[in-house]
Amino acid sequence: VIKCKAAVAWEAGKPLSLEEVEVAPPKAHEVRIKIVATAVCHTDAYTLSGADPEGCFPVILGHEGAGIVESVGKGVTKVKPGDTVIPLYIPQCGECKFCKNPKTNLCQKIRITQGKGLMPDGTSRFTCKGKQIYHFMGTSTFSEYTVVADISVAKIDAAAPLDKVCLLGCGISTGYGAAINTAKVEPGSTCAVFGLGGVGLAVIMGCKIAGASRIIGIDLNKDKYAKAKEFGATECISPQDFKKPIQEVLVEMTDGGVDYSFECIGNVEVMRAALEACHKGWGVSVIVGVAAAGQEISTRPFQLVTGRTWKGTAFGGWKSVDSVPKLVTDYMSKKIKVDEFVTHTLPFDKINEAFELMHTGK
């Protein structure tokens, strides 16, 4: 058993508490990882807020991390102690019908136990003050050591800087893949990206790499426009600057609508606007943002009858074990940006400050 520091969420709506936790050794087909760097994501904040129907407490959150394998359980063959890895919240077992289908990346092998905050055998590897602590998204990267299933880990280039590539565990891969894999953005196309946070910027990067000729960023926070343009946005607009709905503005700006739109916020009203901003006959809108529990989307069916397509994406459609090492290689060979997404680097004990910076849009 390893004793180490972890940021524990004891209950919904309260700040994280830095505690000493015990991390049990890995069982069969499990891997224990020393986490070197982790990022914070709105999904962590969403569960912490209490709005997540799958949220269980007390829990160790975090799902964008990178580290070094400390030890492995029986039967683990793909990684060994000392390997550099990224934990994966969407695993890839290679055996289930989802893994065997090229149309999806949604491996279901450990979905049920992962959703309950437990390891595949239905137990936890974390304890604190004598209490069992739940796992989160199969990763729990807000701990100096974590235990994950062996199908939830990608071995990456040992030379990769872990304080940067940890972002490929969720946000960057999600946005980039939404453009490349889910929408399949084509050269010369016009795109609209709603929400210019980390995921939105990654979508812009994907659209640019795919050869889009016009990329319109949409956000209420104008402080984000300069960064969006660095990533490839050709122009940025705020819905507050117009009297009419933003979808009407976009349809006018683009002679009938955009070819591709992306919702990177998790707001059901914006999801509707993103669809309705698409061009009749061929426009495709991709939902990337996660809406709160119980919310529903709506539009007039005529929008779809007249040739628009509504899609969703999780982790950018990447088959995780196969794709994450390649994304790291693409970053190392400067094909994709990663460093530019990092605004602040803080010590572990300032994790609550990191959440505050995220909530204020900084």
Side-chain angles (χ1 to χ4, degrees):
V1 173
I2 288 177
K3 286 186 177 178
C4 68
K5 279 195 297 189
V8 176
W10 288 107
E11 56 185 299
K14 295 275 168 72
L16 302 177
S17 175
L18 221 59
E19 306 280 2
E20 183 180 77
V21 298
E22 294 85 42
V23 185
K27 295 189 183 177
H29 294 288
E30 295 177 3
V31 179
R32 187 160 60 180
I33 302 166
K34 179 185 190 337
I35 296 290
V36 174
T38 185
V40 295
C41 172
H42 276 286
T43 311
D44 304 307
Y46 166 63
T47 299
L48 186 59
S49 74
D52 181 355
E54 273 196 346
C56 348
F57 295 89
V59 63
I60 295 172
L61 299 169
H63 63 282
E64 287 186 330
I68 311 289
V69 174
E70 178 272 334
S71 59
V72 299
K74 272 190 196 139
V76 175
T77 55
K78 289 189 177 156
V79 293
K80 62 186 186 305
D83 283 350
T84 305
V85 293
I86 289 177
L88 307 167
Y89 71 90
I90 293 182
Q92 186 186 352
C93 71
E95 293 163 0
C96 71
K97 68 179 178 183
F98 288 79
C99 281
K100 287 180 172 167
N101 190 323
K103 294 177 182 174
T104 184
N105 63 329
L106 297 175
C107 173
Q108 296 295 295
K109 182 80 180 251
I110 59 174
R111 178 73 200 94
I112 296 185
T113 48
Q114 182 171 315
K116 291 178 179 165
L118 299 166
M119 293 299 289
D121 72 346
T123 63
S124 168
R125 300 291 161 270
F126 296 121
T127 48
C128 181
K129 298 178 178 169
K131 289 197 177 107
Q132 172 186 285
I133 307 291
Y134 287 106
H135 293 251
F136 178 66
M137 289 174 76
T139 51
S140 289
T141 60
F142 293 172
S143 174
E144 291 177 327
Y145 287 85
T146 190
V147 180
V148 305
D150 62 353
I151 58 171
S152 303
V153 65
K155 182 182 170 182
I156 61 161
D157 183 343
L162 300 187
D163 61 331
K164 306 292 192 292
V165 297
C166 62
L167 293 172
L168 292 169
C170 177
I172 298 178
S173 305
T174 297
Y176 178 54
I180 301 290
N181 300 328
T182 310
K184 296 185 168 61
V185 171
E186 295 165 317
S189 57
T190 297
C191 303
V193 181
F194 292 77
L196 301 176
V199 173
L201 294 176
V203 170
I204 290 172
M205 175 174 77
C207 292
K208 185 181 180 184
I209 288 170
S213 59
R214 194 172 177 193
I215 304 168
I216 305 163
I218 300 120
D219 202 299
L220 299 172
N221 182 351
K222 294 185 178 180
D223 294 342
K224 298 193 169 186
Y225 293 178
K227 196 74 155 169
K229 286 176 180 169
E230 267 176 53
F231 277 88
T234 52
E235 62 221 278
C236 294
I237 57 175
S238 166
Q240 286 174 333
D241 290 347
F242 303 92
K243 292 214 164 52
K244 56 178 74 167
I246 193 68
Q247 52 266 54
E248 289 178 32
V249 174
L250 286 160
V251 166
E252 281 176 19
M253 281 173 68
T254 57
D255 185 28
V258 299
D259 302 309
Y260 302 97
S261 71
F262 301 86
E263 199 280 353
C264 307
I265 301 162
N267 178 314
V268 291
E269 304 298 321
V270 179
M271 291 173 189
R272 177 173 190 158
L275 176 80
E276 295 177 0
C278 282
H279 202 289
K280 184 189 283 189
W282 63 76
V284 174
S285 187
V286 180
I287 295 173
V288 193
V290 177
Q295 294 196 318
E296 297 183 351
I297 46 172
S298 61
T299 189
R300 290 184 305 125
F302 191 69
Q303 291 284 334
L304 299 171
V305 170
T306 50
R308 293 171 193 82
T309 304
W310 222 344
K311 302 180 87 166
T313 188
F315 196 52
W318 301 106
K319 297 242 186 209
S320 58
V321 174
D322 293 343
S323 304
V324 169
K326 291 179 188 156
L327 289 166
V328 170
T329 302
D330 284 351
Y331 157 65
M332 300 292 276
S333 59
K334 298 203 164 31
K335 280 188 196 155
I336 60 171
K337 291 176 159 56
V338 173
D339 297 19
E340 292 81 354
F341 286 88
V342 179
T343 56
H344 297 74
T345 304
L346 301 167
F348 190 26
D349 58 9
K350 297 271 173 73
I351 189 160
N352 287 309
E353 262 179 56
F355 276 96
E356 282 164 35
L357 287 163
M358 181 173 68
H359 287 309
T360 54
K362 292 179 180 161

